[in-house]
Amino acid sequence: MPRTIAHLVVDHPDIIIDEIVASCDGDMRGAMKALLLVNEQLESELNHLYEAAYGSPTERAANKSLH
C-alpha cells in the first residue's frame, strides 16, 4: 500500500515542515498562510461532504423536530 502524506507527517514531521517552508521560499509567515488556506479549504470540503451525507444543519433540525 502506498504511503500517504499523513504517514510522512507522523514519521518525519520536520522533513514535511522544511518542505512546506521551502515551497514558500523560506517565508515562515507565507507557509503559515498557505497552511491556513489549505485547512480552510479542507474544512469546507468536509462540511459539503457532511451535508451531502446528513443534510444541512437546518434540515437536520427540521428532521429532529418531526420525530
Side-chain angles (χ1 to χ4, degrees), residues 4-16:
T4 64
I5 189 74
H7 285 109
L8 290 173
V9 170
V10 170
D11 294 342
H12 306 286
D14 292 334
I15 293 171
I16 300 300

